[in-house]
Amino acid sequence: MSRTNDPARAEVLAAIRRSLGVTGAEAPRRAAVEERLANAPRGVIPARGQADGEERLAVFAREVEISLATIARVESAEAVPAAIAEFLREHNLPAAIRMGEDERLAAMPWDETALAIERGPSAGGDLVGVSHAFGGVAETGTLALVSGPQNPSTLNFLPDTHVVVVRASDVARDYESLWARLRETYGRGLMPRTVNWVTGPSRSGDIEQRLFLGAHGPRRLHVVLVEG
């Protein structure tokens, strides 16, 4: 049953309208909603990420590490495969990765490494997944990952280790700036099915208030920041 024909949902919405004394068809209310959706007004934005150039990247890198992830900075996209191979060696991880069909990743010189590469969504048996982020957020060290065959969402959650590549030019000051670029890139009504905002590895402190990594996803997140 579609959500539009869900009687339980319809009853909840009807109860809300009755409590507000409205029907939902009032022209001023509909105009206000349409204006807000069209203009996407910004709220209060923290000053932490409002920098440019190297200062913004430094804030992003610091926030990535505060979130318990690691980060490597490389000068060009051509240096990414070697940086990932080095990271896997340093952490005694297998030289095997899974990635999607992202053209930016495909153009990198993977054949210059000894990495074994599988492509497509993860079924849960992969130890290392590699994705290319749509962008990053300096104020919190967050990565924005859009769903699709280029970067399957399964890679964000199923592998034990997630390596994410992001271009320095795609690191925005704040969430609002990156949402604006998402809307501009895809257009209204054409947004990706899912936009995942990832800040550090999966973790939980629910049990005895002890921090546990990998509670609901990867227990290790490594960011490769491409500066060139």
Side-chain angles (χ1 to χ4, degrees):
M1 178 182 294
S2 69
R3 293 190 62 186
T4 54
N5 296 325
D6 185 347
R9 177 174 181 270
E11 178 56 33
V12 170
L13 294 177
I16 294 173
R17 294 189 186 99
R18 286 194 298 270
S19 67
L20 296 174
V22 299
T23 67
E26 292 83 359
R29 293 175 62 85
R30 297 184 68 87
V33 171
E34 290 175 2
E35 180 182 359
R36 185 173 181 84
L37 290 174
N39 297 327
R42 298 187 175 199
V44 177
I45 298 176
R48 183 168 60 242
Q50 302 304 303
D52 293 312
E54 174 57 31
E55 184 179 353
R56 186 193 307 180
L57 298 181
V59 172
F60 175 72
R62 184 186 70 232
E63 294 299 322
V64 166
E65 292 177 335
I66 288 175
S67 71
L68 304 181
T70 54
I71 185 169
R73 300 175 67 165
V74 298
E75 293 183 356
S76 67
E78 288 72 23
V80 169
I84 293 177
E86 180 180 1
F87 170 78
L88 297 182
R89 286 194 301 270
E90 290 177 350
H91 291 81
N92 198 30
L93 292 167
I97 62 176
R98 177 174 289 276
M99 67 178 70
E101 301 172 6
D102 192 285
E103 293 181 355
R104 296 163 295 185
L105 293 177
M108 296 174 183
W110 299 99
D111 55 358
E112 296 180 5
T113 72
L115 294 175
I117 301 174
E118 297 288 341
R119 286 184 167 81
S122 176
D126 305 291
L127 292 179
V128 182
V130 177
S131 302
H132 200 299
F134 177 84
V137 179
E139 69 170 280
T140 55
T142 298
L143 299 159
L145 297 133
V146 298
S147 62
Q150 293 77 20
N151 293 283
S153 291
T154 53
L155 297 179
N156 303 342
F157 303 107
L158 297 183
D160 193 55
T161 296
H162 192 198
V163 180
V164 180
V165 181
V166 62
R167 295 184 299 199
S169 58
D170 291 334
V171 175
R173 298 181 179 89
D174 44 64
Y175 288 91
E176 287 81 359
S177 297
L178 205 51
W179 273 121
R181 186 157 64 83
L182 275 161
R183 296 187 188 98
E184 180 181 350
T185 299
Y186 289 95
R188 187 174 183 180
L190 298 174
M191 293 287 281
R193 184 176 181 86
T194 304
V195 179
N196 290 302
W197 299 86
V198 175
T199 308
S202 172
R203 55 199 182 274
S204 174
D206 293 342
I207 302 175
E208 297 181 350
Q209 297 184 345
R210 295 176 61 184
L211 186 63
F212 179 76
L213 297 180
H216 311 292
R219 64 186 179 93
R220 185 184 289 110
L221 174 67
H222 182 59
V223 179
V224 180
L225 180 64
V226 181
E227 300 184 356

